[in-house]
Amino acid sequence: MTCRFIEPDSAIAEWDMYFEEPSADAPPVDQLLGWAWPDWVTAHLNDGVEVFALPQRLTRALANASSAELEELAGRWTTRLGSEDRDDMTDDDLLAVLQGVARLAASAVNTGGGVYSWSF
């Protein structure tokens, strides 16, 4: 799954928050910042490379998510990113990103593996 201009740590935290506390409304920034963020898989070296492990509960939630849940989460995620008024907001289809990650999560659940985010 490839995408551009997405901050994986905040995306993973927001997705996890959604499945733990479902809501179509984007969370307040202070609530998102206070959420448990994903674990680093490798030491952070300030070289631009980030590797995160998705929490197992999020992997299971994505694997079992309905189309409606993914659509609602994509809408909420789009709203939050748009409210940050950033010039570098992704031009990727966020629903397609979530659907792709959900397929990876389903495969991971079926094989007993995990899902990781690698970015640079």
Side-chain angles (χ1 to χ4, degrees):
M1 182 72 233
T2 302
C3 49
R4 302 173 343 132
F5 304 120
I6 292 176
E7 294 175 359
D9 52 352
S10 64
I12 293 166
E14 183 165 353
W15 302 346
D16 188 45
M17 178 185 284
Y18 171 82
F19 287 107
E20 288 297 306
E21 301 175 7
S23 170
D25 298 326
V29 172
D30 60 331
Q31 184 181 7
L32 180 60
L33 293 175
W35 197 256
W37 285 48
D39 293 327
W40 289 91
V41 174
T42 59
H44 183 75
L45 301 175
N46 288 327
D47 62 357
V49 175
E50 299 176 325
V51 182
F52 299 104
L54 273 70
Q56 283 298 315
R57 72 179 184 197
L58 175 58
T59 300
R60 286 188 303 275
L62 285 165
N64 296 315
S66 68
S67 294
E69 287 174 314
L70 293 176
E71 289 172 13
E72 184 174 81
L73 176 54
R76 169 179 147 155
W77 188 23
T78 300
T79 298
R80 184 185 60 80
L81 291 176
S83 72
E84 292 177 358
D85 194 31
R86 296 180 359 203
D87 292 335
D88 62 344
M89 185 172 160
T90 184
D91 55 0
D92 285 315
D93 177 342
L94 297 183
L95 177 57
V97 169
L98 281 167
Q99 290 167 331
V101 175
R103 284 190 298 275
L104 291 172
S107 177
V109 167
N110 289 335
T111 61
V115 177
Y116 302 89
S117 167
W118 175 80
S119 64
F120 61 94

